[in-house]
Amino acid sequence: MALAVAHTSAVQAAGPNYAFPQHQTYKVGVMPSASQATRDAAVEKQYDSWKASYLVHGCASNEYYVSTKGDGDATNNGPVSEGQGYGMNIVPLMAGYDANAQAEFNGLWQLVKDHEDQYGMMQWQLDGKTCKYYSGGTPDGATDGDLDIGYGLILADKQWGGYSSDAKTWLSNFYAHNVAPDGHLKCEDDGPNTDTRPSDHMIDHLRAFAAYDPSHDWNKVITRTEAVDSSLVTNYSAANGLLPDFVVGANGTPKPAPANYQENQPDNIVGYNSIRVPWHMGTDALLNGATTAAFELSDAQKWSACAKKVSGGKPGNVYPHLNLNCTGQNTSDVAEEAGDSIGPSAMAAGDQAWTDTIWSFLQTNPYGDGYYGESIKTLVMIVMAGDYWSPASASTPPPPANDFSISASPASGSVSQGSSATVSVGTAVTAGSAESVALSASGLPTGATAGFSPASVNSGASSTLTVATSSSTPAGTYAITVTGTASSGSHSATYSLTVTTVGGGGGCTPAQLLVNPGFESGAATWTQTSTLGFTPITKATSAEPAHAGSYVAWFNGNGSKDTDTIAQSVTIPSGCSASLTYWLHIDTTEKTTTAKPDTFTVQVLNSSGTVLATVGSFSNLNAASGYSQKTADLSAYAGQTVTLKFTGSETDTSGGTTNSVIDDTSLTTS
């Protein structure tokens, strides 16, 4: 009987509780000899590559999926539940490094919710364009993907909070339909109670389920799973600890399945499924130690030794197909992920040289493997870097201390000597509860005074700052610091004030008027919007690097219809010439040489939001490698307060996608 469940809506939190990197001390084994900083940096580089290649914003505007690009596991490079589970594990573990991690996780989870089968598990195989189930028969789920999705929900709940109901509903459905009566894991939710697949035996996941969900007997699942694996090793691979791709008789006396039992490969030996076993065995041993994970540690040690022997100590020669006596069944077939997966077992076995060799191998992709190998590599690297924390042992952090933010709007203004400027000073609660914030200003020019109305506010409220100049205040541009002080501490915002001589005097003080022009303070002083909810100002990546520094404004590139904007209000003093410059990079996968489905514009607006002029107009046809500097003359707006607005628009009508990236903006007067 299928139950209709109302899932909770996507949640947002102030920040991650376990921001990457989370340096762990594992209970057994060795770490790679490379320094912790080197390992962390390698994980970040791999994550950036994985995300740019496989994390797709689609099919719906609020969905993400992990593309099977490079492996052909779904039509049009669509998602499978296994890949979706990998993504829902990777992204929470990288939160903190990836500022958009929670939005991406919510998109991954949304796609799962939108494509559940009759038992509440994910339909295991979807088309990349329509996201419709396309495999034969009634839609069903696959145990490995559904395990990882459940584990990902627990990670997310520990990382950000707010996913408990969804996680427990998922685990309840999984237990009801993926666990056989005797406690072993079935291969799929609508499959028989007689078979199992050792690559699904993620014991560290099951231990986390047991700690998180005491309403189901997960310890029974752990016990039976270990018994099945132990029986197989004892009877079929005692010296080497190898487990076949599929197992029959799991509810009695388990034995390797016949060749080609479920897939068109020799399912009775190690194949592309069971190459994942040493990764899972080793990880459980590292996290849980020699007592709790005694069988897993023993098996990891055996598997590591077998792989080292059969490959001659070269991870690239760990064959994807191994006979259970540790000989190569097909020595012409090679795959990156076969060698990658040995890493955690080599660590658990305490083999330092072999661990270091595998760590070095992880920095390569010698066979050009696609999503499967690169996703496994990303998770294995997180484990080997020492950054893989278990939600089973992660304590819930205390409630956040009170904190707030402060902002000034507009961020800049201009007055003549003897006149006043007003600024709206806003505050917001960023953690905990509202508190009293006292306001002050510093950095005033000679002869100027500042007053706040009111002088203090509760965080979440606003005040008006009036800066009054005198006739003797020197002309020039001044950075005035607006500070809010509360019991939790102090925060500041900057207001740029340009003072001009009375009547303009025919002169101009040269200045750069934009605040936070290179986005290095994030979104500070800029307003931004996105129809898909992925605001442009973000940390640069290896796929879209900065022109300088660490941040960019990145518009579109989601493969879906989207409009992104950023804007800043600025006052151009009278009597000045003004020049806007910015560095622009456009790349695209659009194939057209004439159509412009994706555009990028730069506009000047008045205080009412009316467009005064479009001073920059680009499209997918302007794609080129690297950045180029663009310039626009804004002298016509001297003496006015205007808004500069950058807009990226993607229609997704031609099948491709376009990224428009800007950095290092500047509005200079002379």
Side-chain angles (χ1 to χ4, degrees):
M1 177 178 178
L3 298 178
V5 178
H7 291 285
T8 59
S9 59
V11 294
Q12 296 291 337
N17 294 318
Y18 301 95
F20 181 89
Q22 285 287 313
H23 300 150
Q24 303 293 296
T25 300
Y26 296 139
K27 294 186 177 181
V28 295
V30 297
M31 299 298 297
S33 296
S35 70
Q36 183 67 68
T38 298
R39 299 197 303 269
D40 292 342
V43 171
E44 292 171 356
K45 179 180 178 182
Q46 171 62 21
Y47 177 70
D48 287 342
S49 174
W50 174 85
K51 179 179 171 180
S53 298
Y54 305 108
L55 190 61
V56 175
H57 197 176
C59 292
S61 62
N62 61 345
E63 293 178 350
Y64 272 95
Y65 68 76
V66 176
S67 168
T68 55
K69 183 170 65 175
D71 286 278
D73 289 352
T75 54
N76 295 312
N77 295 325
V80 293
S81 59
E82 175 188 335
Q84 204 73 357
Y86 291 152
M88 290 177 67
N89 283 204
I90 292 169
V91 170
L93 292 169
M94 296 304 296
Y97 171 71
D98 183 352
N100 296 320
Q102 190 175 13
E104 292 155 359
F105 180 87
N106 286 340
L108 289 164
W109 173 225
Q110 186 65 48
L111 183 132
V112 173
K113 290 188 288 185
D114 290 343
H115 298 87
E116 291 181 350
D117 70 5
Q118 60 182 322
Y119 300 123
M121 298 288 95
M122 180 179 169
Q123 297 175 6
W124 81 273
Q125 193 176 46
L126 305 175
D127 179 85
K129 289 186 177 179
T130 66
C131 277
K132 293 182 178 178
Y133 183 77
Y134 80 91
S135 189
T138 302
D140 62 348
T143 297
D144 55 352
D146 293 335
L147 272 165
D148 272 329
I149 290 168
Y151 191 73
L153 286 167
I154 299 177
L155 281 172
D157 197 40
K158 294 291 186 178
Q159 186 67 279
W160 299 293
Y163 299 87
S164 176
S165 177
D166 282 345
K168 290 183 178 179
T169 297
W170 186 269
L171 295 181
S172 179
N173 288 341
F174 183 95
Y175 195 94
H177 301 292
N178 293 68
V179 176
D182 71 329
H184 78 264
L185 294 170
K186 298 159 57 177
C187 293
E188 54 274 321
D189 55 7
D190 63 349
N193 291 323
T194 55
D195 58 9
T196 191
R197 182 168 61 164
S199 58
D200 298 344
H201 298 176
M202 308 171 199
I203 300 295
D204 69 305
H205 287 20
L206 296 175
R207 296 193 207 281
F209 294 175
Y212 189 84
D213 177 33
S215 62
H216 295 90
D217 191 359
W218 294 104
N219 289 316
K220 172 184 176 182
V221 184
I222 294 170
T223 299
R224 183 56 191 164
T225 301
E226 289 181 325
V228 168
D229 289 345
S230 178
S231 174
L232 287 164
V233 168
T234 299
N235 293 321
Y236 299 98
S237 189
N240 304 298
L242 305 186
L243 295 168
D245 264 19
F246 289 93
V247 173
V248 295
N251 57 337
T253 302
K255 61 181 180 179
N260 306 314
Y261 174 68
Q262 282 212 12
E263 298 183 357
N264 188 25
Q265 61 171 336
D267 293 343
N268 56 334
I269 63 172
V270 175
Y272 275 92
N273 292 289
S274 279
I275 56 172
R276 296 173 290 179
V277 170
W279 158 33
H280 296 313
M281 291 287 187
T283 299
D284 185 51
L286 292 170
L287 291 176
N288 296 295
T291 301
T292 299
F295 170 77
E296 289 74 22
L297 176 58
S298 172
D299 197 63
Q301 292 167 339
K302 292 178 180 179
W303 203 301
S304 173
C306 165
K308 185 176 182 180
K309 179 184 71 174
V310 78
S311 68
K314 297 179 180 179
N317 290 340
V318 176
Y319 306 113
H321 291 95
L322 290 172
N323 297 313
L324 300 186
N325 63 358
C326 193
T327 58
Q329 190 267 352
N330 182 346
T331 57
S332 63
D333 187 19
V334 288
E336 164 200 3
E337 57 266 25
D340 292 348
S341 294
I342 305 299
S345 281
M347 292 170 64
D351 192 329
Q352 187 69 62
W354 186 219
T355 296
D356 290 343
T357 299
I358 296 170
W359 175 256
S360 296
F361 176 71
L362 284 163
Q363 317 308 310
T364 70
N365 183 359
Y367 308 121
D369 288 6
Y371 111 91
Y372 184 61
E374 287 298 291
S375 298
I376 290 174
K377 172 193 285 186
T378 304
L379 282 161
V380 168
M381 286 185 69
I382 294 172
V383 174
M384 294 190 73
D387 293 314
Y388 191 81
W389 54 274
S390 169
S393 57
S395 59
T396 302
N402 295 338
D403 204 357
F404 68 97
S405 64
I406 188 169
S407 61
S409 180
S412 62
S414 177
V415 295
S416 58
Q417 293 164 325
S419 299
S420 299
T422 59
V423 187
S424 176
V425 177
T427 63
V429 177
T430 59
S433 304
E435 54 187 327
S436 179
V437 180
L439 302 170
S440 61
S442 59
L444 297 166
T446 302
T449 60
F452 291 89
S453 180
S456 65
V457 296
N458 285 332
S459 47
S462 299
S463 176
T464 299
L465 164 64
T466 300
V467 180
T469 65
S470 67
S471 59
S472 62
T473 299
T477 299
Y478 303 89
I480 298 174
T481 301
V482 181
T483 301
T485 302
S487 58
S488 64
S490 297
H491 295 286
S492 298
T494 300
Y495 172 68
S496 178
L497 178 66
T498 299
V499 181
T500 61
T501 56
V502 176
C508 178
T509 301
Q512 196 292 109
L513 303 182
L514 294 179
V515 183
N516 188 26
F519 316 114
E520 294 307 302
S521 297
T525 73
W526 294 91
T527 59
Q528 52 181 339
T529 68
S530 172
T531 55
L532 291 179
F534 300 94
T535 46
I537 297 175
T538 186
K539 195 169 185 180
T541 68
S542 58
E544 297 294 347
H547 175 257
S550 302
Y551 281 79
V552 297
W554 182 349
F555 302 79
N556 312 128
N558 300 301
S560 299
K561 185 177 180 180
D562 182 27
T563 299
D564 297 336
T565 73
I566 68 168
Q568 185 174 143
S569 178
V570 62
T571 301
I572 303 175
S574 299
C576 290
S577 298
S579 177
L580 170 68
T581 61
Y582 52 96
W583 291 86
L584 172 66
H585 168 60
I586 296 177
D587 59 65
T588 187
T589 58
E590 297 283 0
K591 303 302 182 184
T592 177
T593 58
T594 56
K596 300 178 180 180
D598 307 324
T599 59
F600 181 77
T601 59
V602 185
Q603 296 174 314
V604 181
L605 288 68
N606 65 16
S607 57
S608 299
T610 301
V611 176
L612 302 177
T614 297
V615 296
S617 183
F618 310 92
S619 73
N620 48 283
L621 300 183
N622 298 109
S625 60
Y627 284 88
S628 60
Q629 190 175 38
K630 309 298 180 183
T631 304
D633 185 0
L634 302 189
S635 301
Y637 308 103
Q640 300 181 46
T641 297
V642 296
T643 296
L644 298 179
K645 185 176 182 181
F646 299 84
T647 302
S649 180
E650 182 168 357
T651 64
D652 197 34
T653 57
S654 300
T657 189
T658 300
N659 301 277
S660 299
V661 184
I662 63 169
D663 198 6
D664 296 330
T665 64
S666 177
L667 178 55
T668 56
T669 58
S670 60

